[in-house]
Amino acid sequence: MLFKGVGTALATPFSGGAIDYEALEKLIALQIEAKVPAIIISGTTGEAPTISSEEKAELFKRANEFIDGKAMFIAGTGTNDTSEVIKLSETAMKAGAQGLLINNPYYNKSSDEGVYASYEAVDKEVNIPIIVYNVPSRTGKNISAELGLELSKLKNVEGFKEASGDISQIVQFMAQKPDGIQVYSGNDDQVLAIMAHGGSGVISTISNIVPEMMVKITDAWFSGDTEAAKQAQFECHEIFKAIFIEVNPIPLKTAMGLMGLCSGEMRLPLVPLTGAKLEKLEAVLAKYGLLG
């Protein structure tokens, strides 16, 4: 059973090149305090491609300890090597993960048949829910509504994180998907639109810094107060724009550093935000009272 509402795609804090577990514990506590129902560890926002398998084993273990059953722990285990996805998924399950977020293979890309075969191979080896992550801007390969419907037949596939940005495609899928399949917005600025078509919430980036604001959107919607949900979505608009002024998670990590949530350190090829974009980010954070 998956979550309803906000799942935070948590940034991975680094210090001196290593994962900063003291900061990680504080970040997780912030999410739990805001009543975020799910925390995703080692996703795109968590800089997963730069974290080794050995580091992920420890990261999953420590994150599970910090979450301590107070939110759903979902592990990002997607990569472009299916055998590695299986290994990481097994590691995550042993560490206590309650769900897996898995993107379709990137760079290799493959055909629809290959994408299906990859998920099928993982599905056979796991026994916890899988969220299929469709992010063609990263993978170079879109999961169409038709392919999504085929993937929905796999026994452990229970959800989709939709970051294609294609509302028409998402609506087509949602109109035909089986009951029990959850759909989450993968774009913070589309959460209300996706919930309006039956979505279950959002896997969010900006909830790293304003979790209460994102929870306000989903809570209002699911309580039936559509006007409050709309206004809450509008309230976040400038933050959405600022946090995606450059490739994610560069602006987010920069913001977190400015806010004192973590060092803001990133691993190459990511580098800190500078110049006019940094000035814009700082101005928006100040406007929302997020600095000092």
Side-chain angles (χ1 to χ4, degrees):
M1 183 69 180
L2 291 172
F3 69 96
K4 190 175 184 179
V6 177
T8 296
L10 202 71
T12 305
F14 300 116
S15 180
I19 296 173
D20 184 345
Y21 286 107
E22 183 177 347
L24 180 71
E25 184 174 16
K26 291 177 181 177
L27 294 179
I28 288 172
L30 180 70
Q31 297 300 316
I32 292 169
E33 183 180 356
K35 296 183 171 51
V36 168
I39 298 172
I40 296 86
I41 300 294
S42 188
T44 302
T45 303
E47 298 176 71
T50 67
I51 302 174
S52 71
S53 298
E54 292 75 20
E55 286 178 307
K56 285 177 183 175
E58 181 67 13
L59 176 61
F60 292 154
K61 176 177 176 292
R62 298 285 288 274
N64 185 55
E65 292 171 357
F66 297 150
I67 293 169
D68 192 29
K70 294 173 182 147
M72 186 175 188
F73 165 31
I74 298 172
T77 59
T79 182
N80 63 334
D81 177 356
T82 303
S83 64
E84 182 65 15
V85 176
I86 292 170
K87 290 176 187 175
L88 286 172
S89 297
E90 290 172 341
T91 298
M93 288 191 295
K94 288 176 184 176
Q98 299 161 287
L100 303 167
L101 178 67
I102 304 176
N103 54 270
N104 52 305
Y106 53 85
Y107 193 73
N108 296 0
K109 292 174 62 174
S110 191
S111 59
D112 281 5
E113 292 80 5
V115 171
Y116 181 87
S118 181
Y119 279 106
E120 183 181 39
V122 177
D123 185 72
K124 288 176 180 177
E125 303 299 327
V126 304
N127 57 14
I128 58 176
I130 294 171
I131 300 174
V132 174
Y133 182 11
N134 185 31
V135 58
S137 65
R138 300 268 183 176
T139 64
K141 167 72 175 175
N142 178 50
I143 295 177
S144 66
E146 293 79 10
L147 178 55
L149 292 170
E150 288 302 307
L151 291 171
S152 297
K153 298 174 184 177
L154 295 172
K155 64 181 173 63
N156 292 300
V157 170
E158 294 189 16
F160 286 75
K161 177 184 177 183
E162 246 298 348
S164 67
D166 185 341
I167 293 294
S168 295
Q169 172 180 290
I170 297 167
V171 170
Q172 179 187 348
F173 173 74
M174 294 180 75
Q176 301 176 63
K177 72 176 180 63
D179 290 341
I181 294 291
Q182 312 300 311
V183 178
Y184 303 98
S185 176
N187 294 324
D188 284 317
D189 61 350
Q190 293 183 338
V191 55
L192 193 58
I194 288 178
M195 289 194 300
H197 288 91
S200 295
V202 59
I203 295 179
S204 172
T205 295
I206 74 160
S207 58
N208 276 275
I209 60 172
V210 286
E212 295 89 353
M213 292 182 77
M214 292 306 292
V215 168
K216 186 177 177 182
I217 298 171
T218 57
D219 279 3
W221 178 264
F222 291 124
S223 70
D225 193 340
T226 56
E227 182 61 28
K230 182 178 72 174
Q231 291 305 318
Q233 175 91 63
F234 291 163
E235 286 169 15
C236 294
H237 187 67
E238 281 193 77
I239 298 180
F240 295 152
K241 290 179 66 178
I243 293 300
F244 291 96
I245 201 169
E246 186 51 89
V247 176
N248 181 46
I250 290 173
L252 175 71
K253 269 298 200 54
T254 303
M256 293 174 77
L258 291 169
M259 293 169 63
L261 296 175
C262 63
S263 71
E265 182 179 316
M266 305 166 221
R267 287 182 172 176
L268 290 172
L270 303 186
V271 295
L273 202 64
T274 59
K277 291 179 179 178
L278 175 58
E279 292 174 6
K280 175 63 176 176
L281 176 64
E282 289 175 324
V284 171
L285 293 176
K287 181 176 179 178
Y288 280 81
L290 298 173
L291 296 179

